[in-house]
Amino acid sequence: MPFAIAVSLALVAGSAVLTTAPGTAGRWGSIVIAALALFTAIVYAGAAIRRSADQH
């Protein structure tokens, strides 16, 4: 599960940088990519938590 947390944190941080960087802020493409990254982080972390709970 630590790997899943690291990946999720990286995706969240990347999407935050993408949507707030002066060169990409406000562009619809960066917003869509950031939203997909956040969705992926939520699903990936949720799956890791569920797998961890199933093992115990």
Side-chain angles (χ1 to χ4, degrees):
M1 184 149 92
F3 180 73
I5 292 171
V7 170
S8 295
L9 286 174
L11 287 169
V12 170
S15 65
V17 168
L18 187 64
T19 57
T20 58
T24 60
R27 296 189 178 177
W28 69 270
S30 65
I31 294 169
V32 169
I33 292 170
L36 289 173
L38 290 173
F39 177 76
T40 303
I42 291 167
V43 170
Y44 192 68
I49 291 168
R50 186 171 185 186
R51 269 183 280 159
S52 176
D54 287 344
Q55 291 177 353
H56 292 115

